[in-house]
mmCIF file of all heavy atoms in Angstrom:
data_model
loop_
_atom_site.group_PDB
_atom_site.id
_atom_site.type_symbol
_atom_site.label_atom_id
_atom_site.label_comp_id
_atom_site.label_asym_id
_atom_site.label_seq_id
_atom_site.Cartn_x
_atom_site.Cartn_y
_atom_site.Cartn_z
ATOM 1 N N ALA A 1 -0.024 15.790 -15.868
ATOM 2 C CA ALA A 1 -0.884 14.862 -16.608
ATOM 3 C C ALA A 1 -1.473 15.497 -17.870
ATOM 4 O O ALA A 1 -2.041 14.799 -18.710
ATOM 5 C CB ALA A 1 -2.026 14.369 -15.707
ATOM 6 N N HIS A 2 -1.302 16.793 -18.008
ATOM 7 C CA HIS A 2 -1.925 17.536 -19.111
ATOM 8 C C HIS A 2 -1.288 17.220 -20.460
ATOM 9 O O HIS A 2 -0.066 17.230 -20.596
ATOM 10 C CB HIS A 2 -1.795 19.043 -18.824
ATOM 11 C CG HIS A 2 -2.400 19.898 -19.868
ATOM 12 N ND1 HIS A 2 -1.657 20.447 -20.898
ATOM 13 C CD2 HIS A 2 -3.666 20.300 -20.066
ATOM 14 C CE1 HIS A 2 -2.454 21.152 -21.667
ATOM 15 N NE2 HIS A 2 -3.678 21.084 -21.187
ATOM 16 N N THR A 3 -2.125 16.908 -21.459
ATOM 17 C CA THR A 3 -1.669 16.777 -22.844
ATOM 18 C C THR A 3 -2.389 17.764 -23.740
ATOM 19 O O THR A 3 -1.960 18.005 -24.856
ATOM 20 C CB THR A 3 -1.910 15.351 -23.402
ATOM 21 O OG1 THR A 3 -3.316 15.130 -23.518
ATOM 22 C CG2 THR A 3 -1.264 14.285 -22.542
ATOM 23 N N GLY A 4 -3.531 18.281 -23.252
ATOM 24 C CA GLY A 4 -4.326 19.188 -24.051
ATOM 25 C C GLY A 4 -5.313 18.487 -24.956
ATOM 26 O O GLY A 4 -6.029 19.121 -25.723
ATOM 27 N N LYS A 5 -5.368 17.165 -24.874
ATOM 28 C CA LYS A 5 -6.272 16.392 -25.714
ATOM 29 C C LYS A 5 -7.424 15.837 -24.889
ATOM 30 O O LYS A 5 -7.322 15.713 -23.665
ATOM 31 C CB LYS A 5 -5.513 15.255 -26.393
ATOM 32 C CG LYS A 5 -4.447 15.767 -27.336
ATOM 33 C CD LYS A 5 -3.771 14.659 -28.063
ATOM 34 C CE LYS A 5 -2.767 15.259 -29.021
ATOM 35 N NZ LYS A 5 -1.568 14.505 -29.132
ATOM 36 N N LEU A 6 -8.485 15.488 -25.563
ATOM 37 C CA LEU A 6 -9.649 14.886 -24.925
ATOM 38 C C LEU A 6 -9.235 13.651 -24.146
ATOM 39 O O LEU A 6 -8.418 12.858 -24.618
ATOM 40 C CB LEU A 6 -10.662 14.500 -26.013
ATOM 41 C CG LEU A 6 -12.088 14.248 -25.598
ATOM 42 C CD1 LEU A 6 -12.685 15.502 -24.980
ATOM 43 C CD2 LEU A 6 -12.906 13.825 -26.795
ATOM 44 N N GLY A 7 -9.738 13.495 -22.932
ATOM 45 C CA GLY A 7 -9.429 12.309 -22.136
ATOM 46 C C GLY A 7 -8.251 12.459 -21.199
ATOM 47 O O GLY A 7 -7.741 11.467 -20.686
ATOM 48 N N ASP A 8 -7.806 13.688 -20.947
ATOM 49 C CA ASP A 8 -6.687 13.902 -20.016
ATOM 50 C C ASP A 8 -7.016 13.427 -18.603
ATOM 51 O O ASP A 8 -6.124 13.061 -17.856
ATOM 52 C CB ASP A 8 -6.292 15.375 -19.969
ATOM 53 C CG ASP A 8 -5.239 15.729 -21.008
ATOM 54 O OD1 ASP A 8 -4.752 14.834 -21.707
ATOM 55 O OD2 ASP A 8 -4.901 16.919 -21.098
ATOM 56 N N GLY A 9 -8.286 13.423 -18.222
ATOM 57 C CA GLY A 9 -8.660 12.864 -16.926
ATOM 58 C C GLY A 9 -9.376 13.839 -16.018
ATOM 59 O O GLY A 9 -9.781 14.930 -16.419
ATOM 60 N N LYS A 10 -9.506 13.405 -14.770
ATOM 61 C CA LYS A 10 -10.181 14.193 -13.737
ATOM 62 C C LYS A 10 -9.406 14.063 -12.432
ATOM 63 O O LYS A 10 -8.711 13.077 -12.205
ATOM 64 C CB LYS A 10 -11.594 13.654 -13.481
ATOM 65 C CG LYS A 10 -12.553 13.723 -14.645
ATOM 66 C CD LYS A 10 -13.305 15.014 -14.634
ATOM 67 C CE LYS A 10 -14.470 15.055 -15.591
ATOM 68 N NZ LYS A 10 -14.194 14.893 -16.977
ATOM 69 N N ILE A 11 -9.583 15.065 -11.557
ATOM 70 C CA ILE A 11 -9.000 15.035 -10.218
ATOM 71 C C ILE A 11 -10.120 15.288 -9.233
ATOM 72 O O ILE A 11 -10.885 16.244 -9.396
ATOM 73 C CB ILE A 11 -7.891 16.095 -10.047
ATOM 74 C CG1 ILE A 11 -6.782 15.881 -11.078
ATOM 75 C CG2 ILE A 11 -7.333 16.061 -8.618
ATOM 76 C CD1 ILE A 11 -5.754 17.006 -11.122
ATOM 77 N N PHE A 12 -10.224 14.431 -8.225
ATOM 78 C CA PHE A 12 -11.231 14.558 -7.185
ATOM 79 C C PHE A 12 -10.535 14.761 -5.844
ATOM 80 O O PHE A 12 -9.525 14.107 -5.571
ATOM 81 C CB PHE A 12 -12.098 13.299 -7.094
ATOM 82 C CG PHE A 12 -12.705 12.890 -8.408
ATOM 83 C CD1 PHE A 12 -12.094 11.933 -9.197
ATOM 84 C CD2 PHE A 12 -13.881 13.470 -8.852
ATOM 85 C CE1 PHE A 12 -12.647 11.553 -10.411
ATOM 86 C CE2 PHE A 12 -14.443 13.095 -10.067
ATOM 87 C CZ PHE A 12 -13.820 12.134 -10.850
ATOM 88 N N VAL A 13 -11.068 15.641 -5.002
ATOM 89 C CA VAL A 13 -10.531 15.868 -3.664
ATOM 90 C C VAL A 13 -11.644 15.527 -2.673
ATOM 91 O O VAL A 13 -12.736 16.089 -2.748
ATOM 92 C CB VAL A 13 -10.060 17.323 -3.475
ATOM 93 C CG1 VAL A 13 -9.523 17.528 -2.065
ATOM 94 C CG2 VAL A 13 -9.000 17.677 -4.515
ATOM 95 N N LEU A 14 -11.337 14.602 -1.748
ATOM 96 C CA LEU A 14 -12.325 14.112 -0.797
ATOM 97 C C LEU A 14 -11.811 14.254 0.634
ATOM 98 O O LEU A 14 -10.608 14.132 0.874
ATOM 99 C CB LEU A 14 -12.604 12.622 -1.063
ATOM 100 C CG LEU A 14 -12.980 12.285 -2.504
ATOM 101 C CD1 LEU A 14 -12.547 10.886 -2.851
ATOM 102 C CD2 LEU A 14 -14.461 12.443 -2.674
ATOM 103 N N PRO A 15 -12.697 14.462 1.590
ATOM 104 C CA PRO A 15 -12.255 14.519 2.993
ATOM 105 C C PRO A 15 -11.923 13.123 3.522
ATOM 106 O O PRO A 15 -12.520 12.137 3.100
ATOM 107 C CB PRO A 15 -13.468 15.099 3.726
ATOM 108 C CG PRO A 15 -14.632 14.755 2.863
ATOM 109 C CD PRO A 15 -14.126 14.722 1.444
ATOM 110 N N VAL A 16 -10.960 13.052 4.431
ATOM 111 C CA VAL A 16 -10.587 11.790 5.089
ATOM 112 C C VAL A 16 -10.727 12.012 6.590
ATOM 113 O O VAL A 16 -10.114 12.919 7.148
ATOM 114 C CB VAL A 16 -9.140 11.379 4.733
ATOM 115 C CG1 VAL A 16 -8.703 10.163 5.533
ATOM 116 C CG2 VAL A 16 -9.021 11.103 3.245
ATOM 117 N N GLU A 17 -11.530 11.192 7.217
ATOM 118 C CA GLU A 17 -11.762 11.347 8.657
ATOM 119 C C GLU A 17 -10.620 10.809 9.500
ATOM 120 O O GLU A 17 -10.242 11.412 10.491
ATOM 121 C CB GLU A 17 -13.060 10.637 9.048
ATOM 122 C CG GLU A 17 -14.287 11.346 8.524
ATOM 123 C CD GLU A 17 -15.561 10.719 9.025
ATOM 124 O OE1 GLU A 17 -15.558 10.147 10.143
ATOM 125 O OE2 GLU A 17 -16.559 10.792 8.310
ATOM 126 N N GLU A 18 -10.066 9.669 9.115
ATOM 127 C CA GLU A 18 -9.040 9.039 9.946
ATOM 128 C C GLU A 18 -8.142 8.162 9.093
ATOM 129 O O GLU A 18 -8.583 7.575 8.110
ATOM 130 C CB GLU A 18 -9.703 8.191 11.031
ATOM 131 C CG GLU A 18 -8.743 7.534 12.012
ATOM 132 C CD GLU A 18 -8.003 8.539 12.880
ATOM 133 O OE1 GLU A 18 -8.502 8.868 13.965
ATOM 134 O OE2 GLU A 18 -6.924 8.968 12.460
ATOM 135 N N VAL A 19 -6.881 8.080 9.483
ATOM 136 C CA VAL A 19 -5.913 7.176 8.870
ATOM 137 C C VAL A 19 -5.236 6.428 10.005
ATOM 138 O O VAL A 19 -4.837 7.033 11.001
ATOM 139 C CB VAL A 19 -4.852 7.935 8.045
ATOM 140 C CG1 VAL A 19 -3.817 6.974 7.489
ATOM 141 C CG2 VAL A 19 -5.500 8.728 6.931
ATOM 142 N N ILE A 20 -5.104 5.116 9.854
ATOM 143 C CA ILE A 20 -4.449 4.287 10.872
ATOM 144 C C ILE A 20 -3.439 3.390 10.175
ATOM 145 O O ILE A 20 -3.767 2.681 9.238
ATOM 146 C CB ILE A 20 -5.481 3.415 11.625
ATOM 147 C CG1 ILE A 20 -6.521 4.317 12.274
ATOM 148 C CG2 ILE A 20 -4.788 2.525 12.654
ATOM 149 C CD1 ILE A 20 -7.865 3.692 12.459
ATOM 150 N N ARG A 21 -2.197 3.454 10.638
ATOM 151 C CA ARG A 21 -1.150 2.575 10.095
ATOM 152 C C ARG A 21 -1.302 1.216 10.780
ATOM 153 O O ARG A 21 -1.246 1.115 12.009
ATOM 154 C CB ARG A 21 0.240 3.152 10.352
ATOM 155 C CG ARG A 21 1.353 2.348 9.677
ATOM 156 C CD ARG A 21 2.734 2.901 9.998
ATOM 157 N NE ARG A 21 2.862 4.319 9.698
ATOM 158 C CZ ARG A 21 3.248 4.817 8.524
ATOM 159 N NH1 ARG A 21 3.525 4.015 7.527
ATOM 160 N NH2 ARG A 21 3.355 6.121 8.363
ATOM 161 N N VAL A 22 -1.503 0.181 9.994
ATOM 162 C CA VAL A 22 -1.753 -1.155 10.530
ATOM 163 C C VAL A 22 -0.574 -1.667 11.349
ATOM 164 O O VAL A 22 -0.749 -2.193 12.447
ATOM 165 C CB VAL A 22 -2.090 -2.148 9.380
ATOM 166 C CG1 VAL A 22 -2.212 -3.564 9.890
ATOM 167 C CG2 VAL A 22 -3.371 -1.715 8.672
ATOM 168 N N ARG A 23 0.640 -1.500 10.842
ATOM 169 C CA ARG A 23 1.826 -2.050 11.507
ATOM 170 C C ARG A 23 2.059 -1.477 12.898
ATOM 171 O O ARG A 23 2.348 -2.205 13.837
ATOM 172 C CB ARG A 23 3.062 -1.817 10.633
ATOM 173 C CG ARG A 23 4.370 -2.376 11.218
ATOM 174 C CD ARG A 23 5.549 -2.182 10.270
ATOM 175 N NE ARG A 23 5.732 -0.797 9.830
ATOM 176 C CZ ARG A 23 6.411 0.123 10.520
ATOM 177 N NH1 ARG A 23 6.988 -0.174 11.656
ATOM 178 N NH2 ARG A 23 6.552 1.340 10.028
ATOM 179 N N THR A 24 1.917 -0.142 13.037
ATOM 180 C CA THR A 24 2.292 0.494 14.310
ATOM 181 C C THR A 24 1.115 1.006 15.125
ATOM 182 O O THR A 24 1.271 1.341 16.294
ATOM 183 C CB THR A 24 3.211 1.703 14.042
ATOM 184 O OG1 THR A 24 2.489 2.664 13.251
ATOM 185 C CG2 THR A 24 4.489 1.288 13.321
ATOM 186 N N GLY A 25 -0.051 1.108 14.487
ATOM 187 C CA GLY A 25 -1.211 1.643 15.179
ATOM 188 C C GLY A 25 -1.236 3.166 15.222
ATOM 189 O O GLY A 25 -2.094 3.747 15.887
ATOM 190 N N GLU A 26 -0.308 3.840 14.534
ATOM 191 C CA GLU A 26 -0.303 5.299 14.511
ATOM 192 C C GLU A 26 -1.588 5.811 13.868
ATOM 193 O O GLU A 26 -2.148 5.172 12.987
ATOM 194 C CB GLU A 26 0.890 5.805 13.687
ATOM 195 C CG GLU A 26 2.237 5.520 14.333
ATOM 196 C CD GLU A 26 3.379 5.841 13.393
ATOM 197 O OE1 GLU A 26 3.460 5.199 12.332
ATOM 198 O OE2 GLU A 26 4.172 6.733 13.729
ATOM 199 N N HIS A 27 -2.034 6.978 14.334
ATOM 200 C CA HIS A 27 -3.267 7.588 13.847
ATOM 201 C C HIS A 27 -2.991 8.937 13.207
ATOM 202 O O HIS A 27 -1.999 9.587 13.510
ATOM 203 C CB HIS A 27 -4.252 7.821 15.013
ATOM 204 C CG HIS A 27 -4.883 6.574 15.514
ATOM 205 N ND1 HIS A 27 -6.160 6.221 15.198
ATOM 206 C CD2 HIS A 27 -4.406 5.595 16.315
ATOM 207 C CE1 HIS A 27 -6.450 5.082 15.800
ATOM 208 N NE2 HIS A 27 -5.397 4.685 16.485
ATOM 209 N N GLY A 28 -3.930 9.364 12.349
ATOM 210 C CA GLY A 28 -3.897 10.699 11.783
ATOM 211 C C GLY A 28 -2.705 10.981 10.917
ATOM 212 O O GLY A 28 -2.230 10.132 10.169
ATOM 213 N N LYS A 29 -2.212 12.216 11.033
ATOM 214 C CA LYS A 29 -1.105 12.687 10.204
ATOM 215 C C LYS A 29 0.139 11.796 10.319
ATOM 216 O O LYS A 29 0.864 11.597 9.355
ATOM 217 C CB LYS A 29 -0.774 14.118 10.628
ATOM 218 C CG LYS A 29 -0.087 14.944 9.624
ATOM 219 C CD LYS A 29 -0.024 16.381 10.118
ATOM 220 C CE LYS A 29 0.958 17.177 9.324
ATOM 221 N NZ LYS A 29 1.076 18.543 9.814
ATOM 222 N N ASP A 30 0.388 11.234 11.520
ATOM 223 C CA ASP A 30 1.558 10.369 11.737
ATOM 224 C C ASP A 30 1.466 9.078 10.911
ATOM 225 O O ASP A 30 2.481 8.469 10.608
ATOM 226 C CB ASP A 30 1.697 10.005 13.209
ATOM 227 C CG ASP A 30 2.027 11.219 14.077
ATOM 228 O OD1 ASP A 30 2.623 12.181 13.530
ATOM 229 O OD2 ASP A 30 1.672 11.201 15.251
ATOM 230 N N ALA A 31 0.241 8.663 10.579
ATOM 231 C CA ALA A 31 0.056 7.421 9.834
ATOM 232 C C ALA A 31 0.254 7.591 8.333
ATOM 233 O O ALA A 31 0.384 6.614 7.607
ATOM 234 C CB ALA A 31 -1.332 6.858 10.102
ATOM 235 N N ILE A 32 0.263 8.836 7.880
ATOM 236 C CA ILE A 32 0.477 9.074 6.441
ATOM 237 C C ILE A 32 1.931 8.846 6.182
ATOM 238 O O ILE A 32 2.490 8.386 5.380
ATOM 239 C CB ILE A 32 0.072 10.503 6.016
ATOM 240 C CG1 ILE A 32 -1.404 10.720 6.298
ATOM 241 C CG2 ILE A 32 0.337 10.714 4.550
ATOM 242 C CD1 ILE A 32 -1.880 12.118 6.000
#
């Protein structure tokens, strides 16, 4: 994403407690 110019952006890293796949009901890493 880098151009070296003003406005290249930001990156945020946030914790995720749980992920659930709606179709199958899989949880956690399997749902990603």
Side-chain angles (χ1 to χ4, degrees):
H2 180 264
T3 67
K5 296 184 178 143
L6 198 61
D8 271 356
K10 297 270 192 299
I11 302 171
F12 307 96
V13 179
L14 307 151
V16 174
E17 290 186 29
E18 183 66 91
V19 177
I20 302 152
R21 186 183 306 271
V22 174
R23 181 177 54 85
T24 62
E26 292 171 297
H27 287 257
K29 203 171 165 182
D30 294 334
I32 299 176

